[in-house]
Amino acid sequence: MTIRIACLHTVDSNAAVFEAACPPGASLRHVVRADLLSVAEAAGGLTPAIRDETRALLAGLAAEADAVLLTCSTLGPSADGLALRVDAALAAATATAPGPRLVLYAVATTEAPTRALFAAHGADFEMRLVPDAWDAFRVGDLPGYHARVAEAADAGFAEGYATVALAQASMAGAAALCRNGTPLTSPAAALAALLSRPGTPRG
């Protein structure tokens, strides 16, 4: 039996990122709501109205799937009780990884929820915004986006960080470009966490 996982994204390209990371025994359904991230960015972060709309979406997805993943770090606090935050799985993996640890993020609105989440998992870490990365993403320059993220990750490894975590799912494509080490990514961490849960359907 295959586990059916519904994914709520705010970035179109994240569907392909998760498909690439999906292991045998799981099938993914993707729903993309880029407008939710756009409104949150315009508002300076997650608002009660955006949170309520996100939770309604997650509840609907949960009714038709074995598990639900929320892949947007900015919307992450909306997931409580309805979905697994992919950045929560990453935070848990980071907390048990060797230190010192560096957490990279690309969107300013993800800083506060990401910091709170990683701290809640007991991780001792530093956070760093990747300069100009999101500007490249906004104009559709994925290679440039991933190159900037990979450069920041390599710089972190070169500075002596034993673990580098890429906080946003959209950053995962940068991992293959890194030369100084292999950063942790949320798609791999989240899918592994779901498939290791007790009671997960097995094929």
Side-chain angles (χ1 to χ4, degrees):
M1 182 177 179
T2 299
I3 180 174
R4 301 168 302 153
I5 302 172
C7 303
L8 178 59
H9 309 289
T10 54
V11 173
D12 284 322
S13 57
N14 276 356
V17 171
F18 277 80
E19 286 292 344
C22 188
S27 65
L28 305 180
R29 174 194 173 197
H30 304 282
V31 174
V32 182
R33 288 289 304 271
D35 60 301
L36 293 175
L37 178 58
S38 297
V39 174
E41 287 187 290
L46 184 65
T47 66
I50 300 169
R51 183 178 186 274
D52 289 345
E53 185 171 359
T54 303
R55 288 185 63 78
L57 280 169
L58 293 173
L61 292 174
E64 300 177 354
D66 299 310
V68 180
L69 291 177
L70 177 57
T71 70
C72 177
S73 298
T74 298
L75 302 182
S78 308
D80 188 31
L82 292 172
L84 173 65
R85 293 175 60 170
V86 299
D87 52 359
L90 178 64
T94 303
T96 59
R101 307 173 185 90
L102 175 65
V103 178
L104 298 176
Y105 65 103
V107 184
T109 53
T110 70
E111 194 274 339
T114 298
R115 184 179 297 278
L117 181 65
F118 276 68
H121 280 78
D124 181 15
F125 62 95
E126 299 292 333
M127 283 192 73
R128 186 176 297 171
L129 177 68
V130 182
D132 303 320
W134 199 241
D135 290 336
F137 187 93
R138 282 177 179 274
V139 298
D141 182 12
L142 278 179
Y145 174 59
H146 290 145
R148 287 169 173 81
V149 173
E151 181 180 1
D154 277 336
F157 285 122
E159 291 169 24
Y161 288 97
T163 296
V164 176
L166 307 182
Q168 295 162 234
S170 61
M171 302 168 83
L177 304 178
C178 293
R179 294 179 289 184
N180 293 343
T182 302
L184 301 179
T185 66
S186 58
L191 290 166
L194 277 184
L195 292 175
S196 66
R197 282 180 172 178
T200 297
R202 299 292 177 184

